[in-house]
Amino acid sequence: MSAIVQVKNLRKAYAGGFEALKSVNIDIEEGEILALLGPNGAGKTTLISTICGIAVPTSGSITVGGHDTQMEFRAARNLIGLVPQEINLEPFETVMSTVSFSRGLFGKPRNDAYIEGILKQLSLDDKKHNKIMTLSGGMKRRVLIAKALSHEPRVLFLDEPTAGVDVELRKDMWEVVAGLKASGVTIILTTHYIEEAEAIADRIGVINKGEILLVQDKADLMAQMGQKQLRIDLAEVTPEVPKSLQAYNLFRADDGLSLTYSYDTKGERTGITTLLNDLQKAGLQMKDIQTAQNSLEDIFVGLVKETS
Amino acid sequence: MNLNAVLTIYIFEMRRFFRTLTQSLISPVLSTSLYFVVFGAAIGSRIDEVEGVSYGAFIVPGLVMLSVMTQATSNASFGIYFPKFIGTIYELLSAPVNFLEIVAGYVGAAATKALFIVVIILITAFFFVDIQIAHPFAMVAFLILTCVSFALLGFIIGIWAGNFEQLQLIPLLVITPLVFLGGSFYSITMLPPVWQTVTLFNPVVYLISGFRWSFFGTADVGIGVSLFAIALFTGICLAVIWWIFRTGWRIRQ
């Protein structure tokens, strides 16, 4: 895979001096779904707006399909479809006319068959002659996607596609995104729902305060999440981890009243039974036992806290 | 050049116009008819000829210009303000179009709409007064130039405006007074000498004078000066719009 979008040292500062993006570097691979995760005000929308041409970068460079978004804006923008966060649509237009308008704006000749194909893919085909104002919120969001796809882009930016959408519609949207990926479109979506990133992304990027904190394969992140901790509370203080238990790499709490054991849930043997047996042999008396699991949320919250 | 985009914007805007055709046409036709009844027939019958033309006929070019300027300005300002207001401007900003293409689409449509209305007003005028057009080609050229230049001004107003009140502000506070004081209903030679000089600072004087020349062959100022004034005005508007898109003033973050 090669990078279809390359962002290098991108900085965006607003007139008031607020730095929305601080030297962002990110490569987006062709054909992937990248989820950009971050709290409100992290810079997700600014990053997307800057790549798409709505905001002007203060410094740094962005290329899409090898074309600089400033110098070769036509070639770069032709490859991009943007679905904004807000439902911005002309209420009195019909679905067909607003989607055709988008296609024309990108310089493509009229092609009703293609537009109808998109509307069908998005389950909008029976609404094509309806006015936007008569559609539900979920349908309007689909119209925005249809507009973004109308000029056959290779990269699709979805800015919080499921913000304020109920659970059922959210799952619907995930299916739509999976369908788009299958048709070969590269997708970048922003979200602050961790489970959304977990459900549909190939890679996950975490952004906070205008900085990319991490970009990692979802599989690797999930592997980290497979780690669990077993905490054993002891009845009496143990001054140190007994020698017979050193193979378990136990972590002794400062007060000496608990030991923590990390293990992989996906492994064939977790080692819990032998550990408990050995603890007994070592003469340690257990008071309580509890387990905890790393979640994407822990990783995310940890990263965001570090930068706060 | 993204010609498809220009046509797309143009057709989209014209469709909006035709959707609301009745209300777009009734108001200007009614107000122009009222002007003819009040100024042309009621008051005009007591006024002698002005520059060798009956007063009813004399005010036709001025009335047409009044409509052209207000219609072109308000059409264009609304045309670009509306996408800004409802947020659909994101699409224009992220599309592979440059400022000239966006302007050509919106300003072209606004100018065409104004032209439509003016043709209807001219036809209305023929019902009230007997009027001859001395230089029909020059008249059409003046009309088109005025439509385009004031649509450009309207486009700037639409980008500048932060709310609907501001959208109305410039047409009400600037354009209407300039047109009324620019010799729509009188010849500037009728003014005291001092005011004649002051009037020459009003750019609308040159447009009305040139347009009146195309009807009657006489004018307050030379036709060359009129043409130069309108070209200068168009040039200034284009330069301002170019600057707006270059800096992203009020449109790009």
Side-chain angles (χ1 to χ4, degrees):
Chain A
M1 284 203 293
S2 61
I4 188 159
V5 179
Q6 287 188 305
V7 177
K8 281 188 189 143
N9 305 321
L10 179 65
R11 200 177 145 261
K12 171 70 189 170
Y14 287 104
F18 173 67
E19 208 174 13
L21 296 175
K22 302 166 189 163
S23 196
V24 167
N25 287 286
I26 190 167
D27 280 2
I28 296 153
E29 308 293 335
E30 180 143 32
E32 74 169 338
I33 299 182
L34 174 79
L36 269 178
L37 206 55
N40 287 326
K44 303 186 295 285
T45 302
T46 305
L47 177 58
I48 286 189
S49 301
T50 316
I51 297 173
C52 295
I54 294 170
V56 185
T58 308
S59 62
S61 75
I62 306 162
T63 59
V64 180
H67 306 288
D68 187 275
T69 54
Q70 298 277 300
M71 308 301 289
E72 304 162 90
F73 76 98
R74 284 189 205 267
R77 289 183 194 175
N78 266 323
L79 301 175
I80 300 176
L82 167 66
V83 182
Q85 195 178 129
E86 306 286 332
I87 297 180
N88 300 322
L89 288 164
E90 287 220 21
F92 308 111
E93 293 297 328
T94 64
V95 172
M96 194 69 189
S97 82
T98 193
V99 178
S100 302
F101 173 79
S102 301
R103 184 177 168 87
L105 209 53
F106 277 75
K108 293 264 169 158
R110 192 177 155 159
N111 185 343
D112 288 354
Y114 179 78
I115 304 267
E116 279 174 24
I118 295 175
L119 296 181
K120 199 166 182 177
Q121 189 184 359
L122 295 165
S123 314
L124 280 170
D125 43 343
D126 58 333
K127 306 273 184 210
K128 64 183 176 189
H129 298 306
N130 288 32
K131 283 191 177 167
I132 302 291
M133 58 198 278
T134 65
L135 303 181
S136 68
M139 288 288 175
K140 285 180 187 159
R141 225 169 251 285
R142 283 161 187 255
V143 174
L144 284 176
I145 298 181
K147 279 167 79 73
L149 290 173
S150 65
H151 63 279
E152 305 161 48
R154 277 168 58 200
V155 187
L156 185 68
F157 287 89
L158 291 153
D159 196 1
E160 301 202 10
T162 57
V165 167
D166 69 36
V167 180
E168 207 171 316
L169 267 176
R170 190 175 301 169
K171 297 236 163 93
D172 248 26
M173 194 60 77
W174 294 353
E175 275 174 30
V176 166
V177 171
L180 293 174
K181 181 193 152 96
S183 64
V185 181
T186 305
I187 294 160
I188 295 95
L189 65 93
T190 68
T191 179
H192 44 233
Y193 299 116
I194 290 153
E195 68 271 27
E196 183 158 283
E198 217 169 314
I200 53 176
D202 298 315
R203 282 200 306 158
I204 293 172
V206 178
I207 180 170
N208 192 34
K209 300 204 164 174
E211 286 176 289
I212 301 265
L213 305 177
L214 158 145
V215 183
Q216 210 166 3
D217 267 10
K218 187 177 67 178
D220 293 346
L221 269 176
M222 297 307 257
Q224 283 183 31
M225 284 186 290
Q227 289 283 318
K228 270 187 109 168
Q229 282 88 36
L230 174 75
R231 199 178 102 166
I232 302 141
D233 290 343
L234 303 170
E236 287 168 17
V237 173
T238 176
E240 57 179 6
V241 178
K243 280 200 173 130
S244 60
L245 298 175
Q246 268 175 1
Y248 294 101
N249 285 325
L250 296 177
F251 172 77
R252 192 186 72 99
D254 287 343
D255 59 5
L257 275 169
S258 75
L259 297 171
T260 306
Y261 170 61
S262 294
Y263 62 96
D264 189 354
T265 49
K266 286 172 190 147
E268 249 179 66
R269 283 166 175 261
T270 57
I272 294 173
T273 319
T274 49
L275 169 68
L276 295 179
N277 284 333
D278 289 348
L279 272 168
Q280 215 171 3
K281 279 181 199 158
L284 294 176
Q285 209 179 345
M286 290 174 270
K287 196 172 148 194
D288 197 6
I289 285 178
Q290 49 191 310
T291 63
Q293 183 164 22
N294 274 344
S295 67
L296 182 51
E297 188 153 351
D298 291 333
I299 298 172
F300 175 64
V301 171
L303 279 167
V304 169
K305 261 192 188 159
E306 268 175 39
T307 56
S308 296
Chain B
M1 179 90 183
N2 188 346
L3 206 62
N4 252 325
V6 178
L7 276 175
T8 301
I9 297 172
Y10 182 85
I11 293 167
F12 194 78
E13 284 297 300
M14 289 310 290
R15 280 225 322 273
R16 196 206 307 278
F17 173 67
F18 285 115
R19 248 195 335 247
T20 54
L21 189 63
T22 329
Q23 68 209 60
S24 303
L25 289 180
I26 283 183
S27 154
V29 169
L30 184 71
S31 60
T32 313
S33 303
L34 286 173
Y35 278 120
F36 279 124
V37 171
V38 176
F39 291 109
I43 299 175
S45 60
R46 309 238 174 148
I47 299 175
D48 285 338
E49 288 187 343
V50 182
E51 292 176 354
V53 186
S54 78
Y55 185 67
F58 178 83
I59 62 170
V60 170
L63 275 178
V64 169
M65 274 294 170
L66 176 68
S67 293
V68 168
M69 290 171 191
T70 48
Q71 287 294 326
T73 312
S74 63
N75 284 334
S77 61
F78 183 79
I80 190 67
Y81 179 73
F82 194 58
K84 249 179 64 180
F85 177 68
I86 59 168
T88 52
I89 193 146
Y90 83 88
E91 216 177 356
L92 283 176
L93 299 178
S94 59
V97 288
N98 66 15
F99 98 96
L100 261 181
E101 290 151 359
I102 295 178
V103 169
Y106 280 102
V107 168
T112 312
K113 289 178 209 173
L115 209 56
F116 252 102
I117 291 166
V118 161
V119 169
I120 303 285
I121 288 172
L122 265 178
I123 294 169
T124 316
F126 286 122
F127 282 106
F128 289 94
V129 285
D130 186 24
I131 195 164
Q132 304 285 321
I133 300 168
H135 308 284
F137 289 111
M139 187 210 76
V140 172
F142 256 107
L143 261 186
I144 292 174
L145 270 172
T146 313
C147 284
V148 170
S149 57
F150 276 77
L152 286 170
L153 176 70
F155 191 87
I156 297 170
I157 294 168
I159 285 180
W160 163 79
N163 52 47
F164 278 101
E165 284 73 30
Q166 287 180 347
L167 205 60
Q168 301 294 329
L169 206 65
I170 303 275
L172 271 176
L173 289 185
V174 181
I175 296 174
T176 311
L178 283 184
V179 177
F180 269 83
L181 300 173
S184 303
F185 300 107
Y186 56 86
S187 162
I188 61 168
T189 53
M190 293 158 84
L191 294 171
V194 178
W195 287 106
Q196 282 191 32
T197 315
V198 172
T199 295
L200 291 177
F201 289 98
N202 177 357
V204 175
V205 165
Y206 301 94
L207 305 182
I208 293 178
S209 170
F211 193 53
R212 191 168 281 140
W213 169 85
S214 70
F215 275 77
F216 310 121
T218 56
D220 289 335
V221 290
I223 181 70
V225 180
S226 287
L227 275 173
F228 175 75
I230 197 164
L232 184 70
F233 181 63
T234 310
I236 291 170
C237 287
L238 266 175
V240 171
I241 294 172
W242 173 80
W243 172 83
I244 285 173
F245 277 87
R246 204 182 134 78
T247 58
W249 183 72
R250 297 229 176 192
I251 46 169
R252 230 180 264 276
Q253 296 162 10

